[in-house]
């Protein structure tokens, strides 16, 4: 999955800092992600995971540092964010579907409005993507008629509709009932198997262990540990990572 066909990494983050007022949330992040690599960000709440993710596609503007992603200089003075976001899909915690539109239209709308794809072609692609994420026969339903897991799978299909080179996932299962988590993770596993480059903020350690090429433990706005899942999750080197993983994996101890 790590064989890159590009010159250099698909994502390169150098010296990334992010302040919210006096609060420095990211404190000098350096991170490269190869094409086809799956990287999971783990760490306690408030460690900067979601902020780091949102800086990649400039939903948050870095205070300092540079970000290039999917061939776009995100922090450059001439950054074309609209073009960049066609190549960078993002899936949020809370689906963010258009409640007044059908499932089919939720997936097809970006192709029609941004890419100017003809309606029939956009809807055909939307149907294909909905089938790919396991949502068939519900194209005319509204989001409120679906379960949370189904809505999140629609959100993934919508992000894929632009043909992205990079997918960002911000705790995509945290708002779901436990019995619905598996169906979303299954779709993500399928994307990883197809070679999609993914940066995933998650508390699902089993997913990170099974799917990630690399796990990054973030705490206090810095990368504390980074390595293969077996290394970081099974034999963490730092007391901070050991304490966090014990709390996550043994919550009743």
């Amino acid at each position: 999955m790590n064989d890159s066909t590009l010159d250099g990494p698909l994502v390169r983050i150098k010296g990334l800092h992010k302040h919210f007022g006096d609060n420095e949330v990211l404190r000098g992040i350096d991170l490269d992600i190869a094409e086809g690599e799956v990287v999971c960000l783990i760490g306690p709440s408030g460690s900067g995971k979601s902020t780091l993710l949102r800086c990649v596609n400039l939903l948050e503007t870095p205070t300092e540092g540079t970000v290039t992603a999917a061939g776009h200089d995100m922090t450059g003075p001439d950054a074309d964010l609209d073009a960049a976001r066609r190549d960078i899909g993002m899936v949020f915690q809370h689906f963010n579907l258009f409640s007044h539109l059908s499932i089919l239209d939720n997936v097809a709308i970006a192709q029609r409005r941004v890419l100017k794809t003809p309606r029939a072609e956009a809807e055909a692609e939307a149907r294909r993507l909905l089938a790919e994420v396991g949502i068939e026969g519900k194209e005319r339903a509204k989001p409120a008629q679906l379960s949370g897991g189904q809505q999140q799978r629609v959100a993934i299909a919508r992000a894929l509709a632009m043909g992205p080179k990079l997918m960002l996932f911000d705790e995509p299962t945290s708002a779901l009932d436990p019995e619905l988590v598996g169906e979303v993770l299954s779709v993500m596993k399928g994307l990883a198997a197809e070679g999609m480059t993914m940066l995933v903020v998650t508390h699902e350690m089993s997913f990170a262990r099974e799917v990630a090429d690399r796990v990054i433990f973030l705490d206090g706005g810095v990368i504390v540990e980074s390595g293969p899942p077996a290394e970081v999750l099974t034999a963490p080197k730092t007391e901070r990572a050991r304490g966090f993983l014990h709390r996550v994996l043994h919550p009743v101890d």
Side-chain angles (χ1 to χ4, degrees):
M1 246 188 336
N2 294 325
D3 293 337
S4 179
T5 57
L6 295 179
D7 293 330
L10 191 71
V11 178
R12 170 156 282 173
I13 299 168
K14 298 289 289 183
L16 183 63
H17 292 256
K18 178 60 182 178
H19 296 255
F20 293 99
D22 294 332
N23 183 21
E24 188 176 14
V25 177
L26 298 175
R27 303 168 180 265
I29 300 291
D30 294 320
L31 175 62
D32 286 355
I33 301 173
E35 183 183 11
E37 190 176 16
V38 177
V39 176
C40 284
L41 296 174
I42 66 170
S45 296
S47 60
K49 304 183 301 296
S50 292
T51 299
L52 173 56
L53 199 75
R54 292 168 67 87
C55 283
V56 172
N57 67 353
L58 250 64
L59 289 177
E60 298 289 355
T61 303
T63 305
E64 183 182 328
T66 61
V67 177
T68 58
H72 301 275
D73 181 359
M74 304 299 290
T75 47
D78 300 319
D80 184 344
L81 295 185
D82 289 336
R85 287 172 182 155
R86 294 172 202 164
D87 290 330
I88 305 171
M90 186 159 183
V91 178
F92 301 86
Q93 296 180 40
H94 295 288
F95 325 141
N96 292 0
L97 299 176
F98 296 111
S99 60
H100 65 291
L101 294 180
S102 70
I103 297 308
L104 186 68
D105 287 340
N106 262 280
V107 177
I109 190 170
Q111 290 184 74
R112 292 180 55 206
R113 293 194 176 177
V114 178
L115 302 181
K116 307 303 182 187
T117 305
R119 176 189 285 271
E121 185 179 332
E123 290 188 352
E125 176 64 3
R127 290 179 190 277
R128 185 190 70 78
L129 289 167
L130 286 168
E132 185 175 315
V133 301
I135 304 291
E136 295 175 281
K138 298 180 182 295
E139 291 85 357
R140 295 302 171 190
K142 297 291 180 61
Q145 296 172 285
L146 303 185
S147 70
Q150 289 171 326
Q151 289 186 61
Q152 191 62 295
R153 285 185 280 156
V154 172
I156 294 172
R158 181 182 60 183
L160 292 172
M162 299 296 284
K165 300 173 184 174
L166 169 68
M167 285 286 286
L168 308 175
F169 293 87
D170 189 5
E171 297 193 36
T173 61
S174 64
L176 300 178
D177 292 334
E179 67 269 21
L180 302 177
V181 168
E183 62 189 55
V184 173
L185 294 181
S186 178
V187 172
M188 294 171 65
K189 289 175 186 177
L191 291 176
E194 292 168 6
M196 176 62 75
T197 310
M198 297 162 61
L199 181 58
V200 184
V201 175
T202 186
H203 291 293
E204 300 291 338
M205 297 303 149
S206 60
F207 173 84
R209 188 184 304 276
E210 180 181 347
V211 179
D213 295 296
R214 191 164 25 132
V215 172
I216 292 173
F217 174 68
L218 204 66
D219 193 21
V222 299
I223 294 175
V224 177
E225 296 203 28
S226 175
E231 181 181 299
V232 175
L233 299 179
T234 305
K237 297 182 177 67
T238 63
E239 183 58 40
R240 291 160 82 183
R242 284 193 293 270
F244 168 77
L245 287 165
H246 183 79
R247 289 191 300 273
V248 170
L249 297 173
H250 308 283
V252 296
D253 287 3

